Amino acid sequence: MREKGKLLIKIGVLGSSGPIRFVVNEDAVVADVIETALKLYAHERRLPVLGTKYSDFFLYTPIAATEALNPKEMIGSYGVRNFMLCKKPRQATEIARKRSGNWKSWFNKTISLKVTPH
């Protein structure tokens, strides 16, 4: 029976001072690796602040930079040790909803301030 291997991986974060390095089992799933990276990043008090919700992030390899890794796949199956962590873009509907909500509340406050009963 083969012993489980360990990998020293390096994960870069856009805007950060340098990559995060840590050891993982080669059979660890990508989602767990992202979660561990976020915890280490926060523990080291790095900037920019990312948050801790692993489902808000994608992990990429330099080889297939246009495709995010499958969060259910094993990290060792990709054959690389360097990765890039990127925040998922917000949905356009979420942005539109927030903008319309902010605009409506601003408009209502402005109207209520200017309309005075005589």
Side-chain angles (χ1 to χ4, degrees):
M1 188 164 114
R2 185 174 165 240
E3 187 176 319
K4 291 182 185 178
K6 297 200 182 274
L7 300 171
L8 173 62
I9 63 171
K10 184 168 60 171
I11 299 179
V13 177
L14 190 62
S16 181
S17 61
I20 302 166
R21 293 176 180 90
F22 57 98
V23 176
V24 295
N25 290 326
E26 63 183 8
D27 62 351
V29 294
V30 171
D32 292 342
V33 171
I34 294 171
E35 186 174 29
T36 301
L38 290 171
K39 286 179 182 177
L40 286 171
Y41 187 91
H43 179 73
E44 293 176 5
R45 296 183 179 172
R46 291 183 179 225
L47 295 174
V49 175
L50 299 177
T52 57
K53 192 173 180 186
Y54 74 90
S55 60
D56 287 346
F57 294 88
F58 288 124
L59 196 61
Y60 294 92
T61 67
I63 296 169
T66 58
E67 291 184 36
L69 303 182
N70 183 337
K72 296 178 184 177
E73 291 286 325
M74 292 187 300
I75 197 76
S77 68
Y78 293 99
V80 295
R81 296 177 184 206
N82 296 321
F83 302 92
M84 187 65 161
L85 185 66
C86 300
K87 196 160 191 149
K88 290 180 181 177
R90 293 192 303 178
Q91 298 295 328
T93 55
E94 179 186 336
I95 293 169
R97 182 177 45 84
K98 284 184 179 180
R99 283 186 182 162
S100 67
N102 291 339
W103 180 83
K104 287 178 186 175
S105 64
W106 171 83
F107 183 74
N108 288 334
K109 286 178 187 175
T110 304
I111 294 297
S112 65
L113 292 175
K114 291 183 180 181
V115 176
T116 54
H118 291 336

